[in-house]
């Protein structure tokens, strides 16, 4: 009886037609909206793994990113994260990501441990007012997050920013009762550079909360910074280490 002839490699499955590249990805011509705020530890600790340390009033970031072209094609993305510490180092722990393209969802979840799901993400720069507007729907038609930004001051020159992120990557065991096949923390560095940066005031609200995406539980205690990056580029190299749990 003959065997198959496909050699198993590091490509994603199905290996004869991988849904995404595994050797990194490229992004160009981006628009990023970020609003940061402080919450209380009681509002977020139940969403954070028990080996990560939180401040009494942790900093939370909400981002909506418009990817005009990438290795996966164009798509929009929402990111919700909170500042944590692990072994003395500070990270942005990723709580929720919602995208409107299945390829980066599979790539982010399988390879990096990003908690990505499919949904509808919109970022509107021209709204007929001074406010830039973004929102997230999941499922379509249910607005679980809305983000507003009022530009106030343009920053001179090019701005560079790096997010030191952290993901919990878990692949459940296929055999009932066994420990997860994979259980680790994955640090990721995301670098952004933009030639046009605006500072201003931000707003985050949760008009139609969902128990299936409970980011509305992370209430706003006080707002911090809000920025809009245009003509931006993003790079995310492959991690060089993981923390086994």
């Amino acid at each position: 009886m003959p065997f198959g002839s496909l050699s198993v490699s590091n490509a994603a499955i199905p290996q004869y037609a991988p849904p995404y590249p595994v050797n990194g990805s490229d992004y160009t011509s981006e628009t990023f909206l970020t609003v940061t705020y402080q919450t209380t530890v009681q509002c977020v600790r139940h969403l954070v793994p028990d080996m990560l340390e939180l401040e009494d009033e942790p900093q939370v970031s909400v981002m909506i990113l418009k990817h005009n072209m990438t290795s996966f094609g164009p798509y929009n993305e929402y990111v919700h994260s909170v500042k944590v510490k692990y072994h003395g180092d500070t990270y942005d722990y990723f709580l929720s990501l919602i995208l409107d393209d299945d390829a980066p969802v599979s790539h982010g979840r399988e390879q990096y441990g990003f908690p990505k799901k499919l949904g509808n993400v919109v970022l509107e720069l021209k709204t007929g007012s001074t406010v830039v507007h973004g929102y997230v729907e999941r499922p379509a038609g249910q607005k679980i997050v809305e983000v507003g930004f009022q530009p106030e001051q343009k920053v001179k020159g090019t701005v560079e920013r790096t997010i030191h992120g952290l993901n919990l990557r878990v692949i459940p065991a296929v055999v009932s009762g066994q420990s997860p096949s994979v259980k680790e923390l994955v640090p990721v560095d995301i670098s952004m550079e933009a030639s046009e940066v605006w500072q201003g005031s931000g707003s985050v609200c949760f008009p139609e909360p969902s128990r299936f995406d409970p980011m509305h539980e992370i209430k706003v205690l006080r707002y911090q910074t809000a920025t809009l990056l245009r003509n931006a580029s993003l790079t995310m190299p492959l991690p060089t280490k993981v923390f086994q749990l």
Side-chain angles (χ1 to χ4, degrees):
M1 180 177 291
F3 289 88
S5 60
L6 178 67
S7 298
V8 176
S9 68
N10 194 45
I13 56 172
Q15 294 209 319
Y16 54 82
Y20 58 82
V22 299
N23 296 320
S25 51
D26 294 320
Y27 303 80
T28 58
S29 302
E30 318 292 336
T31 303
F32 306 145
L33 172 59
T34 305
V35 177
T36 63
Y37 66 90
Q38 285 178 278
T39 191
T40 65
V41 69
Q42 291 80 8
C43 288
V44 73
R45 67 184 308 179
H46 62 294
L47 304 173
V48 175
D50 56 11
M51 75 288 298
L52 303 180
E53 183 180 358
L54 292 158
E55 299 285 348
D56 291 333
E57 295 181 354
Q59 177 181 297
V60 176
S61 295
V62 175
M63 300 178 65
I64 294 185
L65 302 91
K66 188 177 182 66
H67 302 296
N68 291 340
M69 184 51 67
T70 75
S71 303
F72 315 103
Y75 67 96
N76 295 342
E77 183 170 20
Y78 148 82
V79 181
H80 215 135
S81 63
V82 62
K83 290 283 187 188
V84 301
K85 284 189 176 181
Y86 183 67
H87 290 173
D89 293 324
T90 300
Y91 298 93
D92 284 277
Y93 176 71
F94 294 108
L95 295 162
S96 176
L97 290 89
I98 295 176
L99 299 76
D100 53 12
D101 187 331
D102 64 346
V105 169
S106 299
H107 172 256
R109 289 181 66 91
E110 292 180 9
Q111 194 167 10
Y112 292 90
F114 284 103
K116 295 188 174 187
K117 299 178 181 179
L118 272 173
N120 185 40
V121 183
V122 175
L123 180 59
E124 303 169 316
L125 298 183
K126 186 177 180 180
T127 62
S129 73
T130 60
V131 177
V132 173
H133 179 242
Y135 61 89
V136 183
E137 295 179 335
R138 190 173 184 275
Q142 181 174 350
K143 288 186 179 178
I144 59 173
V145 184
E146 279 193 291
V147 184
F149 173 77
Q150 183 166 295
E152 296 170 355
Q153 182 180 7
K154 186 178 180 181
V155 178
K156 294 183 178 179
T158 299
V159 172
E160 297 180 6
R161 180 180 302 168
T162 298
I163 297 173
H164 300 292
L166 191 67
N167 289 315
L168 174 65
R169 182 170 179 258
V170 173
I171 298 179
V174 69
V175 178
S176 178
Q178 289 193 357
S179 298
S181 299
V182 175
K183 185 172 69 171
E184 60 193 13
L185 293 171
V186 182
V188 290
D189 286 339
I190 303 171
S191 298
M192 296 178 287
E193 182 177 331
S195 61
E196 182 182 343
V197 180
W198 290 84
Q199 295 176 337
S201 299
S203 173
V204 178
C205 67
F206 309 94
E208 300 178 79
S210 169
R211 64 177 294 189
F212 307 114
D213 296 282
M215 294 301 100
H216 62 278
E217 297 176 4
I218 312 174
K219 301 185 185 301
V220 177
L221 180 62
R222 69 179 65 89
Y223 287 104
Q224 295 182 322
T225 61
T227 57
L228 180 71
L229 278 62
R230 301 188 68 191
N231 302 323
S233 62
L234 181 151
T235 58
M236 187 176 66
L238 292 170
T240 58
K241 62 180 178 180
V242 297
F243 304 115
Q244 300 290 342
L245 299 177

